[in-house]
Amino acid sequence: MMFTNKQFTNKIRADFPILNQEIYCKPLIYLDNGATTQKPKQVIDAVSKFYSETNSNIHRGVHFLSEKSTLHYENARETVRQFVNANSTKEIIFTKGTTDAINLIANTFGEKYIKEGDEILISEMEHHSNIVPWQMVCERKNATLKIIPFNDKGELIFEEFEKLLSKKTKIVAVTHISNSLGTINPIKKIIEKAHKLNVPVLIDAAQSIQHFKTDVQELDCDFLVFSGHKIYAETGIGILYGKEKLLEALPPYQGGGDMIKTVDFEKTTYADLPLKYEAGTSNYVGAISLGVAIDYLQDIGFDDIIKYEKELLDYATKKLSSIKGLRLIGTAKNKASVISFILENIHNYDAGTLLDKMGIAVRTGTHCCQPVMKHFGIAGTIRASFAFYNTFEEIDKLHDAIIRIQKLF
Ligand code: PLP
């Protein structure tokens, strides 16, 4: 039934109070979902209710509220476990977000397994979050960062990946979906290939977790990371999934409360997974909001979301491609609902500023992917990224606004 039914789309949009407002006297058209998604009232209300009725620090007290808080937090972990189909909640670590989770693995894995002469393999289309932490490890350990290139459509060149993979490779870290190009990478194939050489793979799912069903066991990825704020939950919360055996073998990351079993000045022993990696008071309210956001999405139904977002992408691609002087950046065969483009003789910031004045929020610039911009020899792009609450009418308005901007120049 769903998104094709206007009533249903209106009902969905009513769940997101922020969408119902005007910017510069124009109805807000929010097309910056790749940067962060808006929050349904189910999430907002749950957070407010939690603070009004339950708030207390977790894993610390024997009193009623503390136990209740802990229960909510651990239930959220179980919700995430089921959502990504992990084997055990020991494999689900709450982090601050994708960046924090990648840093956790880069530091601990780097500490234990990377030595001089080793190689770490990432791709040319990674977000800075999946470049810089690895670069820092390489600097510390005298290792080398190797880069899988992409072609001019924005598709990873698989044969180059095969050539780069060697006995020197200690880990592969790639994004499932490029935030700047929209490309969906063949991660299952990448994982299979890397595993033939016993090389573990980290998947950056920051841009895929909200658009596709993710099954870590089916993928057989070793680590998978994502941010709550991109999947309709609060900011400051994220997930590191890691295979239990691998996480067990890695050293602790940050030290502090909650990650210990015993502390003595002579020797400290560490908590078992998952708490081993959750030092200090974690963002337990964020974790709870993530559980609620996942429940909300599952109630709507991922199959319908995937289908509708694909329709939005196809419609927008067709519509924007028809504009003379507009060049799409990222034309991979397999794409998610992200469209990057540039306009002839118009700087992306100027276009973004004018779109804003028309009520349309898009992202402009390098999207934390400077190497991608370098590949195309451009300063940046204008990016429209769609969520299931966006509509075909909004795409029509984006199209018309671009034409108006071109006329102004
Ligand atoms: N990886 C990708 C592909 C992203 O799109 C982003 C954010 O845009 C990140 C990593 C970093 O996410 P966060 O800033 O939530 O840590």
Side-chain angles (χ1 to χ4, degrees), residues 34-35 97-100 127 129 175 177 179 204 206-207 227 229-230:
T98 304
T99 306
D100 190 37
H127 186 282
S129 294
T175 192
I177 293 181
N179 63 308
D204 176 351
Q207 294 292 340
S227 300
H229 71 96
K230 293 191 196 281

Side-chain angles (χ1 to χ4, degrees), residues 32 37 90-91 99 124 164 189 211 256 259 275 278 291 308 342 363 372:
D32 195 17
T37 53
K90 290 183 179 173
E91 300 181 318
T99 306
E124 193 186 3
L164 286 165
K189 243 173 93 185
H211 297 300
M259 57 77 72
L275 299 190
E278 294 180 6
Y308 180 68
I342 53 175
R363 174 91 185 259
V372 170

Side-chain angles (χ1 to χ4, degrees), residues 268-310:
T268 287
T269 57
Y270 304 115
D272 294 330
L273 290 171
L275 299 190
K276 171 180 161 187
Y277 289 113
E278 294 180 6
T281 298
S282 57
N283 181 1
Y284 54 90
V285 187
I288 290 159
S289 81
L290 179 56
V292 176
I294 289 171
D295 285 344
Y296 174 78
L297 286 180
Q298 287 182 326
D299 277 353
I300 293 174
F302 250 90
D303 289 340
D304 286 329
I305 290 174
I306 292 167
K307 190 165 164 281
Y308 180 68
E309 288 182 346
K310 172 89 175 77

Side-chain angles (χ1 to χ4, degrees), residues 18-36:
I18 201 169
L19 298 177
N20 184 26
Q21 64 173 305
E22 297 198 333
I23 304 284
Y24 306 114
C25 304
K26 303 276 179 343
L28 168 67
I29 297 179
Y30 185 78
L31 302 179
D32 195 17
N33 297 287
T36 200

Side-chain angles (χ1 to χ4, degrees), residues 205-224:
Q207 294 292 340
S208 57
I209 196 77
Q210 64 283 49
H211 297 300
F212 295 104
K213 278 186 190 151
T214 301
D215 184 328
V216 291
Q217 293 192 66
E218 210 246 324
L219 280 173
D220 198 24
C221 54
D222 302 280
F223 305 106
L224 182 133

Side-chain angles (χ1 to χ4, degrees), residues 121-151:
L121 198 46
I122 62 168
S123 89
E124 193 186 3
M125 67 174 78
E126 298 309 313
H127 186 282
H128 297 162
S129 294
N130 202 27
I131 301 175
V132 185
W134 301 111
Q135 230 165 14
M136 290 161 79
V137 174
C138 287
E139 269 173 29
R140 275 201 305 276
K141 298 287 186 136
N142 267 329
T144 308
L145 196 62
K146 291 276 180 175
I147 313 298
I148 312 161
F150 60 77
N151 64 24

